[in-house]
């Protein structure tokens, strides 16, 4: 608590010290009324606005530290999720690794659920109906009925396209915190036949 108070005190002094130094700087007479003076005024006003924002932030932190802590942890949490958001390449790599590991296991020992899921994903990739969508902090892999290069009437007719309400049933996997969770759960016991 003592170090937090010292940090807030230093934050309080910094804008005043910088403002004092800025007021000591004099602008030459030959540049008055030119674009250089307008440019300098712009940066001076921008600095004043940011100084006021820092002072307001400091008072908000002092008034409600619990709220500031919640906001800070939320922002760091969102940053961590965005930083560890898995890509489609991660999904393909995981699929190849699992396929290679399952090839080493005897067919008598392979879990049928894992085998069927792996065959389904490989079939979707072969048909070109599996797609990737990133939401910044999480990603999904979903299937469509037709390949994007398909030129049938069904692909162009708006009445035959799937609705947004059918999207949850078409989601194959959800990626969050650097892992694809459905493939992780279905392949956890791929070498155990019940």
């Amino acid at each position: 608590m003592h170090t937090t108070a010292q940090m807030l005190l230093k934050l309080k002094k910094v804008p005043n010290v910088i403002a004092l130094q800025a007021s000591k700087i004099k602008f030459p007479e030959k540049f008055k009324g030119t674009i250089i003076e307008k440019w300098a005024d712009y940066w001076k006003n921008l600095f004043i606005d940011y100084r006021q924002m820092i002072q307001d932030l400091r008072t908000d932190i002092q008034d409600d530290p619990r709220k500031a802590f919640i906001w800070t942890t939320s922002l760091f949490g969102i940053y961590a999720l965005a930083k560890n958001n898995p890509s489609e390449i991660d999904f393909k790599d995981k699929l190849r690794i699992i396929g290679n590991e399952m090839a080493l296991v005897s067919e008598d020992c392979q879990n049928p659920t894992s085998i069927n899921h792996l065959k389904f994903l490989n079939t979707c990739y072969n048909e070109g109906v599996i797609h990737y969508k990133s939401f910044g902090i999480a990603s999904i892999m979903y299937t469509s009925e037709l390949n994007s290069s398909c030129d049938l009437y069904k692909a162009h007719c708006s009445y035959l396209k799937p609705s947004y309400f059918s999207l949850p049933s078409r989601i194959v996997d959800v990626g969050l915190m650097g892992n694809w969770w459905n493939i992780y759960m279905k392949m956890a016991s791929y070498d155990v036949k019940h």
Side-chain angles (χ1 to χ4, degrees), residues 64-78:
D64 196 0
R66 199 173 323 147
K67 182 179 175 183
F69 175 74
I70 290 170
W71 271 101
T72 305
T73 53
S74 299
L75 289 175
F76 278 121
I78 290 171

Side-chain angles (χ1 to χ4, degrees), residues 79-109:
Y79 173 75
L81 287 173
K83 189 78 173 162
N84 295 317
N85 188 18
S87 64
E88 186 176 9
I89 294 171
D90 296 331
F91 184 79
K92 288 179 180 179
D93 287 345
K94 186 72 172 173
L95 194 61
R96 286 186 192 112
I97 289 169
I98 291 292
N100 290 340
E101 289 177 1
M102 286 193 74
L104 298 174
V105 176
S106 170
E107 289 184 17
D108 297 334
C109 298

Side-chain angles (χ1 to χ4, degrees), residues 29 83 165:
E29 286 294 323
K83 189 78 173 162
F165 297 113

Side-chain angles (χ1 to χ4, degrees), residues 8-18 58:
L8 289 174
L9 189 62
K10 287 180 183 178
L11 271 175
K12 186 177 183 179
K13 290 179 181 179
V14 166
N16 295 332
V17 169
I18 295 173
R58 186 188 70 240

